[in-house]
């Protein structure tokens, strides 16, 4: 109930701002909604965006349950894309789709996890704070990808930094003419999987114990270092699936900046979704609709720019975050860590 | 109109009622507290004492009823209102910031202006005045982390007085104190009373009630069932009023023959990062079928000994064997491994170690045992089995309310303790380590817990009990070891021990 109130409040404030720049807020709202949900095509786009938001939202949520604040979704998504891209570029001439697709998905998870594992290791054994290291790793990922794309993976003769196209066996089945592809099913499976893992397995139990009370986790026999690694690797793997949706589902080649913004938005999605898989899914749908409806809105009404859409997202985050007192546990966790 | 109107009560509660869902925690409580007195509130675990005080302090809102302070009806919507009315509360769990100094903690939330320096100087002067008036001396520039528990509590009391409180509520203040610190606390409370401060004291220790209070109210199941002037009553009557039956704390223990050695430590030592020797050459033996009690003033290594034996901290030197398996610096144990060997551990600090406040009771009831059957089958937690297990523990150990689905932090302090104890004893361990077995539990539960520990011993378990309660050690233990400054300084037979000699040994006066 509360999230709905928060969203409504955010929309009222947005409406006022829209009115100030001289646009009828009700017209804007109608364009936003029809833009997001008005046709099969727009619904398809909304779901495609929502798929990315689900992956990064789940990534943040899993880490959060372990008391870890993973801000590196951006970089992990990037590397996940590299992983599945490399697997496909290496194997798509030989393997059929039914074999290649699972391998590529696994490669995305592996690369995303590996990119999260380094900051996790640094925190668990060296004590460097994961918030700092995951942010830094976003920059490292970005630099690494540019280097690889410009110097190594660029298709011969191409002027833009992108790899050669994937053979059809390396492409996910998609709805014709739309970016919506089989990754949506993967996202739903991840939601279910995260739910089962966190609340119905002993590892999820231990992970949540660590997040709530590290001392009790030690007492209960959990190795905090190993659990930190596990939580971050899972988180990174989930973020890495953004690469599956974008590269295998849409671009069908490795490109630059396909992950832009999804990793950070994942923090907001998890926040809104109360770190519960179902909540994350609903929040991801909302963010997907905003992304798609906002694009339509910016297209129809020139005085509303793309930045305006970002403002709307920001306001929703503000209202659902500040009003719900959600950052409090993070701050507590942060303080608890400082004073052992 | 000739009759003298009695002076207005410091606090008067009229028909206070409070429910949490189906739990009717406080039922129409009315009570009057005279100014300048010390009033005790006692009652079983879960009787509603903390809830009642939280209502008075504005932490919870009553469903119905009125609060009168100094003869005026008042609204208590938040602790802010309570503080404005001159009511202050010292919580059982200290709300201090460890890295701040005493002075900084004192002005937290009452900084007195945008520049800290002014507020700090004023606070320093005020602190000096309070120290003088109430005999509460604490070094204002000491870091809270460096203070003993007793001193930290004094800072909490100072914090309350600093905000101008004239009514002081203390919820189980002595649960974490050593007997010496407790004596000092009561001296302070008496001074406060002489200066006209009204004190409300919740405790499970009847001797504290007898020693310090003027009046005592007994709560049972959300109601005040009796009220006595302290001079007119005695411990036995109060115990009976509380539990509703006679309580017998003396145990009939039949001597058990010498069993095999289940736990043995050799030259066990622990040195912390700063080079402080916390454990020094500890050599103890624990046999099947005996209870060994460790007596000592808090902070002399008892906590560390439990942590090392439970596998939470690795020893710096020496070794120990549990059921024949050796643990030393080369082969460190960990808590999971120790459990596999048949060792169970009831931690001293149940909130910080023994449970997860945000978890359901059923989740807390498997902490440490989540990995194996019967709770995990085919890599999945068996929710119904966990719930049934918790319900069974609650039944056996009389944990109230019997709601496995309730958040652990929503149980009263004593019931949390019973749940943790139940979890460890029910595993029928071969070695049982217990820290402060009856901290925060009511007198009926003490009786029950002691019987359970003796039952475990009789069935061949080796039990090691660490407690700051000398009576507890004296009545439970078959052998008593005294710890001082990280060493075992002596062994006493309980039949020949008395509190005086034990006290001397605990103070390091002599090694027997
Ligand atoms: N926030 C809450 N939500 C649900 N139930 C609660 C909550 N707080 C307390 N209760 C219930 O209310 C009852 C009274 O609890 P309270 O903490 O007041 O007991 P108490 O007398 O202080 O006991 P103890 O001596 O063990 O500390 C208990 O049954 C407890 O489980
Ligand atoms: Mg209580």
């Amino acid at each position: 109930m509360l999230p709905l109130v928060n969203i409504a409040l955010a929309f009222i404030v947005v409406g006022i701002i829209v009115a100030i720049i001289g646009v009828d807020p009700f017209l804007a709202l109608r364009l936003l909604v029809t833009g997001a949900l008005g046709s099969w095509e727009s619904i398809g786009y909304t779901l495609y965006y929502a798929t990315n938001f689900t992956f990064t939202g789940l990534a943040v949520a899993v880490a959060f349950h372990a008391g870890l604040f993973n801000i590196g979704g951006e970089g992990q998504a990037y590397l996940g894309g590299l992983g599945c891209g490399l697997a496909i570029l290496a194997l798509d001439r030989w393997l059929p789709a039914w074999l290649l697709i699972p391998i590529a998905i696994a490669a995305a998870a592996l690369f995303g996890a590996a990119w999260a594992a380094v900051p996790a290791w640094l925190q668990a054994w060296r004590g460097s704070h994961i918030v700092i290291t995951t942010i830094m790793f976003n920059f490292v990922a970005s630099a690494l990808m540019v280097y690889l794309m410009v110097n190594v993976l660029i298709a011969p003769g191409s002027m833009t930094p992108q790899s050669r196209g994937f053979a059809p066996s390396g492409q996910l089945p998609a709805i014709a003419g739309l970016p919506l592809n089989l990754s949506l099913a993967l996202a739903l499976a991840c939601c279910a999987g995260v739910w089962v893992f966190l609340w119905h397995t002993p590892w999820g139990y231990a992970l949540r114990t660590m997040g709530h009370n590290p001392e009790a986790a030690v007492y209960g026999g959990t190795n905090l270092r190993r659990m930190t690694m596990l939580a971050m690797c899972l988180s990174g793997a989930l973020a890495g699936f953004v690469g599956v949706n974008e590269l295998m589902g849409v671009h069908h080649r490795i490109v630059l900046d396909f992950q832009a913004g999804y990793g950070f938005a994942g923090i907001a999605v998890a926040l809104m979704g109360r770190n519960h898989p179902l909540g994350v899914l609903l929040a991801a749908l909302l963010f997907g609709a905003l992304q798609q409806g906002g694009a339509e809105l910016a297209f129809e009404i020139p005085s509303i720019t793309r930045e305006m859409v970002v403002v709307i997202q920001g306001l929703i985050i503000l209202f659902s975050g500040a009003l719900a007192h959600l950052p409090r546990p993070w701050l507590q966790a942060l303080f608890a860590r400082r004073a052992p | 109109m000739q009759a003298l109107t009695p002076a207005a009560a410091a606090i008067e509660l009229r028909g206070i009622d409070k429910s949490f869902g189906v739990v009717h925690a406080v039922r129409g409580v009315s009570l009057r507290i005279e100014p300048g007195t010390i009033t005790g509130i006692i009652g079983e675990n879960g009787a509603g004492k903390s809830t009642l005080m939280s209502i008075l302090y504005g932490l919870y809102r009553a469903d119905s009823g009125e609060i009168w302070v100094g003869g005026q009806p008042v609204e208590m919507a938040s602790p802010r209102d309570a503080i404005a009315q001159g009511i202050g509360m010292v919580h059982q769990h200290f709300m201090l910031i460890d890295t701040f100094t005493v002075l900084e903690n004192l002005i937290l939330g009452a900084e007195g202006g945008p520049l800290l320096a002014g507020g700090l100087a004023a606070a320093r002067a005020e602190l000096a005045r309070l120290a003088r008036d109430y005999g509460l001396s604490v070094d204002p520039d000491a870091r809270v982390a460096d203070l003993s528990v007793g001193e930290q509590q004094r800072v909490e009391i100072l914090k309350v007085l600093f905000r101008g409180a004239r009514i002081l509520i203390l919820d189980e203040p002595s649960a974490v104190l050593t007997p010496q610190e407790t004596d000092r606390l009561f001296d302070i409370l008496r001074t406060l009373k002489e200066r006209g401060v009204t004190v409300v004291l919740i405790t499970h220790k009847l001797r504290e009630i007898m020693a310090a209070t003027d009046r005592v109210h007994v709560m049972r199941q959300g109601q005040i069932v009796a009220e006595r002037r302290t001079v007119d009553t005695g411990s036995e009557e109060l115990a009976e009023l509380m539990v509703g039956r006679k309580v017998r704390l003396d145990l009939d223990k039949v001597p058990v023959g010498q069993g095999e050695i289940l736990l043995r430590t050799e030259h066990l030592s622990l040195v912390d990062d700063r080079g402080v020797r916390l454990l020094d050459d500890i050599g103890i033996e624990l046999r099947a079928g005996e209870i060994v009690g460790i007596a000592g003033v808090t902070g002399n290594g008892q906590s560390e000994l439990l942590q090392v034996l439970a596998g939470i901290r690795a020893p710096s030197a020496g070794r120990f064997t549990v059921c024949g398996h050796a643990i030393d610096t080369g082969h460190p144990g960990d808590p999971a491994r120790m459990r596999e060997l048949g060792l169970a551990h009831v931690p001293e600090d149940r909130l910080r170690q023994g449970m997860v406040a945000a978890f359901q009771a059923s989740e807390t009831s498997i902490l440490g045992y989540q990995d194996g059957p019967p709770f995990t089958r085919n890599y999945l937690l068996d929710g119904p089995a966990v719930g049934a297990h918790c319900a069974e523990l609650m039944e056996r150990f009389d944990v109230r309310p019997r709601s496995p689905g309730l958040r652990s932090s929503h149980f009263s302090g004593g019931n949390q303790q019973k749940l943790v104890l139940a979890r460890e004893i029910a595993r029928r361990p071969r070695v049982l380590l217990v820290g402060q077995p009856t901290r925060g539990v009511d007198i009926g539960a003490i009786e029950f817990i002691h019987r359970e520990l003796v039952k475990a011993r009789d069935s061949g378990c080796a039990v090691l009990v660490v407690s700051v309660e000398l009576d507890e050690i004296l009545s439970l233990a078959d052998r008593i070891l005294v710890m001082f400054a990280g060493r075992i300084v002596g062994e006493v037979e309980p039949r020949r021990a008395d509190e005086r000699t034990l006290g001397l040994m605990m103070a390091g006066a002599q090694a027997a």
Side-chain angles (χ1 to χ4, degrees):
Chain A
M1 201 52 227
L2 195 60
L4 293 184
V5 177
N6 293 334
I7 294 164
L9 276 173
F11 269 105
I12 291 170
V13 176
V14 170
I16 294 169
I17 295 173
V18 168
I20 289 172
I21 49 175
V23 178
D24 175 8
F26 295 99
L27 174 70
L29 183 62
R30 214 184 63 229
L31 284 173
L32 187 75
V33 173
T34 49
L37 305 168
S39 65
W40 286 117
E41 194 189 356
S42 48
I43 291 177
Y45 270 92
T46 293
L47 290 178
Y48 147 70
Y49 291 126
T51 306
N52 281 342
F53 289 125
T54 306
F55 287 136
T56 52
L58 286 177
V60 174
V62 166
F64 179 85
H65 278 288
L68 302 166
F69 198 11
N70 179 12
I71 316 191
E74 219 48 37
Q76 291 143 20
Y78 221 167
L79 264 285
L82 177 67
C84 77
L86 287 179
I88 295 170
L89 291 178
L91 301 170
D92 63 352
R93 308 233 164 107
W94 293 285
L95 295 185
W98 65 264
L99 194 56
L100 183 53
I101 288 173
I103 290 178
I105 290 176
L110 195 71
F111 273 57
W115 205 245
V118 183
W121 186 85
L122 284 172
Q123 164 149 332
W125 273 271
R126 296 256 153 260
S128 5
H129 204 287
I130 216 154
V131 169
I132 314 274
T133 44
T134 48
I135 292 180
M136 294 199 311
F137 264 61
N138 289 338
F139 293 108
V140 179
S142 185
L144 177 70
M145 286 298 283
V146 171
Y147 171 81
L148 286 178
M149 292 312 298
V150 172
N151 297 298
V152 184
L153 293 171
I154 191 167
S158 165
M159 297 306 288
T160 45
Q162 55 185 27
S163 76
R164 72 166 171 84
F166 299 161
S169 64
Q171 303 179 3
L172 280 180
I175 293 176
L178 287 181
L180 183 61
N181 61 74
L182 203 60
S183 306
L184 178 64
L186 179 63
L188 293 174
C190 285
C191 281
V194 165
W195 181 74
V196 169
F197 173 79
L198 284 179
W199 283 282
H200 296 279
T201 69
W203 303 286
Y205 174 95
L207 185 150
R208 288 182 298 122
T209 305
M210 176 171 95
H212 283 295
N213 183 345
E215 241 183 285
V218 170
Y219 164 82
T222 301
N223 182 324
L224 295 191
R225 289 176 164 168
R226 258 184 261 155
M227 191 46 81
T228 302
M229 295 296 291
L230 174 69
M232 282 302 283
C233 286
L234 275 176
S235 177
L238 287 163
F241 288 148
V242 170
V244 172
N245 188 27
E246 287 292 328
L247 302 189
M248 291 173 72
V250 180
H251 296 288
H252 301 150
R253 51 167 43 91
I254 307 180
V255 296
L256 282 178
D257 289 330
F258 63 85
Q259 91 303 356
Y262 291 114
F264 290 124
I267 299 168
V269 171
L271 188 72
M272 257 206 86
R274 302 284 191 274
N275 296 301
H276 191 282
L278 189 61
V280 165
L281 186 63
L282 293 175
L285 285 171
L286 176 74
F287 273 69
L290 276 177
Q291 185 101 346
Q292 166 58 15
E296 289 290 312
L297 189 61
F299 182 73
E300 295 280 337
I301 305 181
S303 56
I304 294 183
T305 56
R306 291 284 312 149
E307 283 68 38
M308 219 24 234
V309 179
V310 178
V311 169
I312 301 179
Q313 287 184 348
L315 281 168
I316 290 183
I317 297 166
L318 190 69
F319 276 92
S320 56
L323 287 186
H325 305 295
L326 259 171
R328 202 169 46 189
W330 287 347
L331 288 179
Q332 280 171 348
L334 215 66
F335 273 113
R337 189 113 341 112
R338 273 221 245 138
Chain B
M1 285 289 111
Q2 299 296 0
L4 278 171
T5 42
I11 297 169
E12 195 177 343
L13 302 176
R14 296 187 182 173
I16 299 284
D17 221 88
K18 174 80 187 170
S19 298
F20 298 101
V22 293
V23 181
H24 201 165
V26 176
R27 310 171 190 234
V29 167
S30 298
L31 112 141
R32 224 183 118 86
I33 292 170
E34 301 303 331
T37 60
I38 301 184
T39 301
I41 297 186
I42 58 173
E44 286 180 289
N45 294 128
K49 307 178 294 293
S50 298
T51 306
L52 188 65
M53 289 304 122
S54 301
I55 290 170
L56 181 54
Y57 190 57
L59 286 169
Y60 293 139
R61 259 196 114 101
D63 299 335
S64 63
E66 291 172 19
I67 301 175
W68 292 57
V69 177
Q72 301 287 326
V74 290
E75 273 293 301
M76 292 289 181
S78 74
R80 210 174 281 274
D81 294 338
I83 292 167
Q85 295 293 337
I87 299 178
M89 183 153 174
V90 175
H91 298 268
Q92 187 176 337
H93 311 286
F94 298 153
M95 315 260 178
L96 298 174
I97 298 181
D98 280 355
T99 49
F100 279 16
T101 65
V102 170
L103 210 54
E104 286 168 335
N105 266 290
L106 216 58
I107 61 166
L108 197 68
E111 288 85 352
L115 284 182
L116 218 47
L120 278 175
R124 190 180 294 275
E126 176 68 6
L127 186 63
R129 188 186 72 76
L130 290 172
R132 205 171 49 242
D133 287 3
Y134 298 113
L136 276 163
S137 55
V138 184
D139 174 9
D141 299 310
R143 262 171 26 117
V144 162
D146 301 332
L147 298 180
S148 72
V149 180
E151 287 172 314
Q152 291 188 10
Q153 189 171 56
R154 238 173 287 159
V155 177
E156 285 279 11
I157 295 176
L158 278 168
K159 228 169 88 183
V160 170
L161 295 174
F162 185 73
R163 282 165 182 54
R166 302 292 295 157
I167 299 169
L168 185 64
I169 306 170
L170 299 124
D171 193 351
E172 297 190 37
S174 60
V176 287
L177 300 185
T178 62
Q180 293 82 349
E181 284 173 325
T182 306
D183 289 344
R184 226 166 304 148
L185 169 70
F186 286 112
D187 287 341
I188 292 170
L189 294 185
R190 274 186 286 263
T191 319
L192 288 175
K193 176 181 139 184
E194 280 163 27
R195 300 284 187 281
V197 176
T198 307
V199 178
V200 182
L201 175 72
I202 300 179
T203 180
H204 285 294
K205 298 177 190 161
L206 295 174
R207 90 177 105 81
E208 296 177 358
I209 291 287
M210 295 313 299
T213 64
D214 302 305
R215 243 171 205 289
V216 52
H217 299 258
V218 184
M219 282 189 83
R220 203 191 308 158
Q221 295 178 2
Q223 286 171 314
I224 303 265
V225 294
E227 185 190 341
R228 294 281 186 276
R229 277 173 40 192
T230 309
V231 288
D232 296 340
T233 185
S235 297
E236 267 114 79
E237 187 197 16
L238 289 177
E240 204 175 327
L241 284 169
M242 239 165 85
V243 190
R245 63 179 163 82
K246 280 220 180 303
V247 181
R248 287 187 52 223
L249 282 184
D250 51 323
L251 292 162
D252 328 293
K253 281 192 305 182
V254 262
V256 178
Q258 291 272 301
E260 55 173 323
I261 294 174
L262 292 180
L263 179 85
R264 168 191 277 148
T265 75
E266 290 162 71
H267 308 295
L268 203 62
S269 296
L270 180 69
V271 180
D272 74 2
D273 305 336
R274 286 180 288 182
V276 179
R277 208 158 254 283
L278 299 169
L279 293 180
D280 195 0
D281 197 21
I282 301 278
I284 57 178
E285 279 177 3
L286 196 59
R287 291 175 182 275
E290 70 170 351
I291 299 181
V292 172
I294 297 204
V297 177
T298 314
N300 277 288
Q302 304 96 310
S303 308
E304 288 77 12
L305 179 61
L306 283 185
Q307 285 177 344
V308 168
L309 295 179
I312 293 172
R313 290 176 85 164
S316 327
R319 47 181 263 141
F320 65 101
T321 48
V322 175
C323 304
H325 296 264
I327 313 287
D328 56 33
T329 45
H331 308 84
D334 67 81
R337 166 110 178 99
M338 303 311 278
R339 280 195 185 88
E340 277 167 30
L341 295 179
L343 180 141
H345 173 207
V346 178
E348 290 184 297
D349 188 340
R350 56 174 179 267
L351 258 187
R352 275 176 55 186
Q353 290 203 322
M355 55 175 259
V356 181
F359 275 9
Q360 295 181 353
S362 58
E363 290 176 295
T364 285
S365 79
I366 61 165
L367 181 63
Y369 302 103
Q370 69 266 19
D371 286 331
F375 308 126
T376 292
R377 291 206 175 88
N378 304 322
Y379 309 107
L380 288 181
L381 273 182
D382 184 346
V386 173
H389 167 72
C390 183
E392 196 187 308
L393 293 184
M394 290 177 145
E395 198 58 47
R396 219 181 109 194
F397 280 74
D398 190 24
V399 179
R400 288 182 241 172
R402 305 241 201 291
S403 319
L406 191 66
R407 215 180 118 102
S408 305
S409 61
H410 287 174
F411 285 82
S412 76
N415 282 300
Q416 293 170 356
Q417 173 78 349
K418 284 196 260 178
L419 187 60
V420 172
L421 254 157
R423 177 183 72 211
E424 301 304 323
I425 292 185
R427 288 299 285 203
R428 311 188 132 272
R430 301 192 67 199
V431 179
L432 178 61
L433 311 176
V434 192
Q436 316 300 347
T438 54
R439 176 175 281 176
V441 304
D442 67 47
I443 190 159
I446 292 178
E447 181 190 24
F448 175 76
I449 288 170
H450 284 178
R451 301 238 150 109
E452 284 297 318
L453 289 176
V454 171
K455 241 193 259 171
R457 153 200 185 259
D458 292 344
S459 65
C461 177
V463 185
L464 186 71
V465 175
V466 167
S467 173
V468 293
E469 303 287 332
L470 269 189
D471 328 345
E472 176 159 270
I473 297 267
L474 281 169
S475 70
L476 267 179
D478 299 307
R479 284 191 294 138
I480 299 176
L481 302 175
V482 183
M483 257 186 112
F484 178 73
R487 304 170 67 86
I488 302 282
V489 293
E491 178 173 340
V492 201
E493 247 191 274
R495 261 170 294 131
R496 278 194 231 124
D498 63 83
E499 299 211 7
R500 224 186 78 81
T501 41
L502 269 181
L504 277 175
M505 284 170 76
M506 283 160 59
Q510 90 205 54

